[in-house]
Amino acid sequence: MSALGNDLVDKRLQGDASIRAKKYLNQDYENLRSQCQKQRKLFCDPHFPAEPRSLGLNELGPDSVKTKGVEWKRPGELCSKPQFIIGGATRADICQGNLGDCWLMAAIASLTLEKDLLARVIYPEQNFTDKYAGIFHFQLWQYGEWVDVVVDDRLPTRKGKLLFVKSAAENEFWSPLLEKAYAKVNGCYENLIGGFSSEAHEDFTGGIAECYTLRKAPVNLFNIIKKALSRGSLLSTSISASAEEKEAVTKECLVKTHAYSITDAKQVQVCKSPVELVRLRNPWGHMEWSGAWSDRSKEWDQVSPEDKAKLVYSADDGEFWMTYADYIQRYSKLEICNLTPDTPCDDNLGCWNSSQFEGAWKVGTTAGGCCNFPAKFCTNPQFRVKLDTDSQCDKQCSVLVALMQKDARQAKQKGFKGYSIGFYIYKVPDKYKGKPDVCLLPDDLRRPVAKSDFVKMREVCQRFNLPLGEYVIVPATFESNQEANFLLRVFSEK
């Protein structure tokens, strides 16, 4: 194993004390591998078989042109000496295949920048030699808990080539096996078509995601990006466009409605003046920005050889630099996944206080809908939190509230597109202080001190600055009588 691979193993072992992963579908990796070795056979996963239903039902269904000629093959059938990781897991190992999951690819590319986070997810000590039995496993965060996901190594191929994600090195397989594990927890590969990188960022870290609209970018956003990268946060970005312009390429070779990773942010000196630069990566592994500060642009002639070497600017690998000014003019949205207290990363431990609640909207009891339904609104679940961390020494608490509906992606192939969800925040009236089991009544729910937008996404997350004190959070679907399970998370910044 490479030195970098060994480093990943060391980081994983150091973090084992904090890792308490549940066995997904009760599949125990060690027991299954041991059974296969005793029986001298390779593992075949009964829960995610090498069959058409694991690909999908509609766009990747059995009768789809996109799945014609697909064969499931193990890495040993595709090359003579397959390896799990070659020279360390890097961004170059993620080249998107024939699946519309650029959002997932961008998230995996960001994950490779943080070796301790990556080590938790991929078990880098895995290989195709020592005790090989055709079985691999990965650790993913799913709705409030870490799960250990087992897969066999049969991968969808056509004409001897991987159908979906692949590495630049044809005999390296950690990235397609991770994609398969993610497809398994989401029901099938087809369910990975279309999404937001923040969703996968959270599933790789247990983190909490924020979104910035770049046309309304705060004046200090470049510094926010630098700080987020230094903390190990995962960043992705995209250009909004109409459905007709999906993946349309601009004259400067930027792809619309396509998820890019942000992998670095630096300031360089040009003629004694500072220039702010950001580095982005296209998960396709090619198709790079062709404007100022692109790989072979004249702007690099003004940079010292030392800065050029540090910035690694000339490789044709889908990664490129551009000025921060050009970035916010051309891109539409930035997603930052903040790491949470249990993240195995030295600089991030202790950044947050956190609370987590699980609940459900049930028709006839707790599915009250938004405040447009005053007769039912008070039946929604209520959760009480105490904000007592003075984040900026101004008797205010900086708090992130995130509401996530469960299992919406798994139901995509059945036509379910999820509900519009949101939440309201109320100050606890004095008469209820010290009475944690008392719910607010309709008269108490007339004026929230804060509220989220309602969005049809897996999660809605917003940041607020609130005076110290006790609050009640009321999560809701926009319409009443809509059933779903949900996870509510509250993070206050220290």
Side-chain angles (χ1 to χ4, degrees):
M1 184 182 291
S2 70
L4 186 52
N6 282 321
D7 182 55
L8 288 178
V9 174
D10 291 343
K11 288 182 180 293
R12 180 171 187 90
L13 293 175
Q14 291 167 12
D16 267 349
S18 66
I19 296 171
R20 296 290 181 269
K22 179 181 177 182
K23 293 175 176 57
Y24 185 69
L25 300 177
N26 292 317
Q27 289 181 294
D28 186 299
Y29 168 76
E30 294 293 348
N31 287 346
L32 290 170
R33 183 172 68 163
S34 178
Q35 289 173 16
C36 289
Q37 288 175 321
K38 288 178 181 177
Q39 297 171 9
R40 296 186 178 182
K41 68 178 185 180
L42 297 180
F43 178 62
C44 294
D45 187 0
H47 294 290
F48 200 66
E51 297 174 4
R53 61 189 169 103
S54 295
L55 294 175
L57 293 178
N58 302 302
E59 190 171 337
L60 295 180
D63 299 324
S64 170
V65 174
K66 294 184 178 181
T67 58
K68 188 176 182 180
V70 168
E71 296 180 290
W72 296 79
K73 292 183 178 292
R74 298 186 189 269
E77 299 175 276
L78 299 173
C79 63
S80 59
K81 293 182 179 180
Q83 296 190 48
F84 188 64
I85 296 176
I86 299 175
T90 70
R91 301 183 300 283
D93 302 340
I94 303 119
C95 299
Q96 187 181 353
N98 298 328
L99 188 63
D101 62 348
C102 60
W103 59 280
L104 175 60
M105 300 299 101
I108 297 174
S110 295
L111 185 67
T112 64
L113 299 175
E114 300 298 330
K115 303 306 178 187
D116 41 5
L117 302 181
L118 183 68
R120 167 184 265 190
V121 172
I122 71 170
Y123 296 92
E125 65 273 17
Q126 299 185 95
N127 58 71
F128 288 89
T129 52
D130 182 35
K131 299 181 180 179
Y132 169 69
I135 183 171
F136 291 81
H137 64 143
F138 299 86
Q139 194 170 127
L140 301 172
W141 184 88
Q142 291 285 286
Y143 309 113
E145 64 181 3
W146 286 93
V147 294
D148 191 72
V149 184
V150 168
V151 292
D152 65 39
D153 62 353
R154 295 177 294 177
L155 297 167
T157 70
R158 183 186 287 122
K159 297 181 179 179
K161 301 291 183 181
L162 289 173
L163 191 62
F164 303 135
V165 69
K166 58 186 72 66
S167 172
E170 291 189 357
N171 62 331
E172 184 178 48
F173 289 94
W174 74 267
S175 56
L177 289 169
L178 173 57
E179 182 186 47
K180 182 175 185 179
Y182 202 72
K184 179 177 177 176
V185 299
N186 283 289
C188 63
Y189 280 97
E190 184 180 307
N191 284 347
L192 303 186
I193 297 173
F196 297 93
S197 294
S198 57
E199 183 177 333
H201 284 158
E202 291 183 340
D203 291 343
F204 294 145
T205 66
I208 188 166
E210 292 183 88
C211 182
Y212 291 88
T213 300
L214 295 180
R215 59 183 171 81
K216 301 177 183 177
V219 293
N220 63 334
L221 184 59
F222 182 73
N223 288 330
I224 290 174
I225 291 172
K226 286 182 66 177
K227 184 177 180 181
L229 288 165
S230 70
R231 279 185 167 187
S233 300
L234 307 184
L235 286 74
S236 62
T237 190
S238 60
I239 301 171
S240 298
S242 65
E244 293 74 23
E245 292 183 291
K246 183 179 180 181
E247 295 196 339
V249 179
T250 72
K251 63 181 180 181
E252 296 164 321
C253 298
L254 299 178
V255 185
K256 296 181 178 181
T257 68
H258 184 61
Y260 289 76
S261 310
I262 294 183
T263 58
D264 206 353
K266 288 282 193 290
Q267 193 176 81
V268 296
Q269 294 294 320
V270 176
C271 299
K272 299 183 179 180
S273 296
V275 176
E276 296 175 334
L277 299 175
V278 291
R279 187 174 70 192
L280 291 84
R281 186 177 189 277
N282 184 339
W284 289 347
H286 61 92
M287 187 71 71
E288 299 181 10
W289 156 255
S290 61
W293 295 93
S294 57
D295 284 356
R296 294 174 181 81
S297 68
K298 64 182 187 303
E299 285 80 10
W300 290 102
D301 296 337
Q302 306 171 64
V303 179
S304 69
E306 292 79 13
D307 280 345
K308 284 184 182 179
K310 290 177 184 177
L311 297 175
V312 189
Y313 77 99
S314 61
D316 184 16
D317 56 2
E319 198 164 49
F320 56 86
W321 292 92
M322 65 194 309
T323 66
Y324 170 72
D326 280 339
Y327 165 66
I328 61 172
Q329 286 177 5
R330 286 159 176 79
Y331 283 78
S332 309
K333 183 172 68 173
L334 167 67
E335 296 173 342
I336 298 178
C337 183
N338 300 286
L339 303 183
T340 55
D342 69 337
T343 301
C345 185
D346 295 340
D347 293 336
N348 292 281
L349 295 176
C351 291
W352 304 94
N353 293 316
S354 64
S355 300
Q356 181 171 292
F357 310 93
E358 294 197 46
W361 296 294
K362 299 286 188 183
V363 172
T365 55
T366 59
C370 70
C371 64
N372 294 343
F373 303 90
K376 295 183 177 181
F377 180 68
C378 66
T379 66
N380 283 305
Q382 299 182 16
F383 300 93
R384 191 177 292 203
V385 296
K386 186 175 183 179
L387 303 180
D388 54 8
T389 302
D390 191 347
S391 303
Q392 302 295 332
C393 299
D394 57 359
K395 297 184 179 180
Q396 300 259 323
C397 183
S398 177
V399 59
L400 276 169
V401 181
L403 174 65
M404 180 182 294
Q405 58 183 314
K406 294 187 176 182
D407 302 323
R409 183 170 292 278
Q410 288 87 331
K412 275 184 67 175
Q413 61 183 338
K414 298 177 183 177
F416 179 65
K417 297 181 180 179
Y419 298 128
S420 290
I421 59 172
F423 57 84
Y424 301 83
I425 303 176
Y426 297 87
K427 190 78 185 289
V428 173
D430 290 342
K431 62 183 178 181
Y432 296 140
K433 287 183 177 176
K435 300 177 181 179
D437 297 328
V438 175
C439 289
L440 302 191
L441 300 174
D443 286 348
D444 306 315
L445 297 172
R446 290 179 177 177
R447 293 185 180 88
V449 296
K451 61 181 180 178
S452 74
D453 298 325
F454 275 78
V455 296
K456 188 177 280 190
M457 294 174 60
R458 182 176 81 157
E459 182 177 63
V460 55
C461 174
Q462 286 185 222
R463 182 187 289 267
F464 306 93
N465 285 312
L466 297 173
L468 303 182
E470 281 189 273
Y471 295 86
V472 166
I473 303 174
V474 180
T477 56
F478 187 75
E479 301 291 343
S480 64
N481 296 323
Q482 292 181 325
E483 286 204 352
N485 296 318
F486 63 80
L487 176 72
L488 177 69
R489 297 186 291 163
V490 182
F491 293 80
S492 55
E493 193 166 10
K494 292 181 180 179

